[in-house]
Amino acid sequence: MTDVEISVVVNGVKRRDRIPPRRTLADYLRETCGLTGTHLGCEHGVCGACSVLLDGDAVRACLVFAVQADGAAVTTVEGLADTDGTLSPVQQAFRDHHGLQCGFCTPGFVVSATAFLQETPDPSDDEIREGLSGNICRCTGYQGIIRAVRDAATTISTEAPVTPQA
Ligand code: FES
Ligand code: FES
């Protein structure tokens, strides 16, 4: 099949690439863009390790063709921190609350939690469990992850809002 050209903004950087039409978004990000923070576990939509933001919504990059991201903005775990390396509130909270052990699932959890907290800024523990139920971790027992998301929600809610200049 003939390669197709796509135009995607990846972590704020505009890209144009020619790719096979059946290349998944996960393979595009890892192999074409070199962004290996997006992990591949099951490769069929079960584990959530490959979660990225597609125009702000969390998607499983193993289930999306890269051509479907043509014209869209994709954010991977690498794009969540500030450009100076300051971790995002969710990344910092995972670090502070031992929300990871081997780290394989962590990029997916961090991306999913980031999207979840945008939709549900003041979640209960049950809502956190439900919101992240599409992500699987085989190391932590999830308690540190729940604590991290709860703490990130508090941090985000107490951050000073950005007020536009008059
Ligand atoms: S690798 Fe995509 S959901 Fe598991
Ligand atoms: S920290 Fe190892 S799978 Fe989650």
Side-chain angles (χ1 to χ4, degrees):
M1 236 183 272
T2 319
D3 285 0
V4 291
E5 184 169 286
I6 61 169
S7 172
V8 188
V9 177
V10 180
N11 295 338
V13 177
K14 266 191 186 172
R15 298 183 56 105
R16 267 183 191 283
D17 294 292
R18 290 192 69 78
I19 51 158
R22 293 186 63 78
R23 174 160 298 179
T24 65
L25 181 57
D27 286 344
Y28 169 71
L29 292 168
R30 290 176 55 85
E31 293 170 21
T32 308
C33 304
L35 294 168
T36 53
T38 299
H39 288 171
L40 280 168
C42 66
E43 297 193 59
H44 58 268
V46 174
C47 72
C50 64
S51 300
V52 299
L53 301 178
L54 182 61
D55 282 341
D57 294 326
V59 298
R60 289 154 199 269
C62 70
L63 294 184
V64 176
F65 289 120
V67 292
Q68 293 175 283
D70 185 28
V74 177
T75 304
T76 69
V77 70
E78 292 95 336
L80 295 178
D82 285 346
T83 47
D84 68 359
T86 304
L87 297 179
S88 76
V90 175
Q91 289 172 317
Q92 186 63 48
F94 269 68
R95 182 176 178 172
D96 292 344
H97 294 275
H98 309 289
L100 61 144
Q101 286 183 25
C102 81
F104 191 85
C105 69
T106 310
F109 267 100
V110 167
V111 167
S112 296
T114 299
F116 168 71
L117 289 175
Q118 278 165 5
E119 291 286 314
T120 315
D122 184 22
S124 66
D125 284 4
D126 281 350
E127 285 173 321
I128 295 172
R129 287 191 189 93
E130 174 66 25
L132 298 183
S133 59
N135 290 72
I136 294 172
C137 174
R138 65 180 187 180
C139 301
T140 63
Y142 299 97
Q143 297 310 313
I145 292 172
I146 307 287
R147 280 197 302 275
V149 176
R150 196 191 304 135
D151 184 53
T154 304
T155 302
I156 292 167
S157 71
T158 54
E159 276 177 347
V162 179
T163 45
Q165 302 272 328

